[in-house]
Amino acid sequence: SKGKGYICSEKEEGKKRVFLCDSNEDEVVVMDYEVEEEILLIWEEEYYGTDKEYMYWNEDFGTYDNQSCDLSDYVLPAALAVSNHTCDRGIFVDGVGYGSAMIANKLPHVFACVCQDPFCAALARQHNDANVLCIGGKIIGSAIAMEIVKTWMHTDPLDGEKYVRRRNKVAEIDKEHCM
């Protein structure tokens, strides 16, 4: 296994992405850890060494074990990598997803969404150009999590005028109100 919490680089385009998994939230620790490990294993089995391989993990943001920890200690550095454009997108797995999204959305240029199915993941990218995906490891299993990740990673924003206009309005709010 490659571990947990990474910046990922898209080889063919040179883009970087954050993948952060927090498996250490309070009492149901093991489920998050297992979901995160299974996502990584499924991703590796499906893409590693194939012509479809376009991601590799190259920096570990943690967590490093199953011990209880404070989510913000891990989400903030990973979200900062997206905020300062070190990475283009991030994938965060915590207990239910909302804690990571709340922390990440405090930063400029970060548009985090919680998705619990592939349909929502597609809409988050198509309509909102969300650059951080938050998944709840206590809510969904690894198979659906992997489908969410694949959908989100392979979906581009819609370029229709109304979608661009709406995203520009959100970007303006971000510019004016996020410090």
Side-chain angles (χ1 to χ4, degrees), residues 100-142:
S100 290
M102 289 172 63
I103 294 164
N105 280 324
K106 299 288 185 197
L107 300 175
H109 317 295
V110 175
F111 304 100
C113 61
V114 177
C115 296
Q116 297 171 351
D117 59 59
F119 179 73
C120 290
L123 290 178
R125 288 289 299 143
Q126 289 173 335
H127 289 229
N128 302 310
D129 194 12
N131 59 4
V132 171
L133 170 65
C134 300
I135 299 174
K138 292 180 184 177
I139 296 174
I140 59 173
S142 59

Side-chain angles (χ1 to χ4, degrees), residues 32-80:
D32 295 340
Y33 181 78
E34 289 173 357
V35 168
E36 169 246 327
E37 285 294 308
E38 289 178 35
I39 290 171
L40 292 175
L41 287 173
I42 292 168
W43 191 273
E44 186 171 319
E45 287 171 7
E46 184 162 338
Y47 293 106
Y48 187 74
T50 71
D51 59 351
K52 293 180 182 177
E53 179 185 5
Y54 71 96
M55 291 181 64
Y56 66 98
W57 319 114
N58 63 4
E59 185 174 331
D60 191 342
F61 279 93
T63 61
Y64 306 104
D65 55 35
N66 282 338
Q67 299 304 308
S68 180
C69 68
D70 296 330
L71 188 58
S72 57
D73 293 344
Y74 296 93
V75 172
L76 181 60
L80 282 168

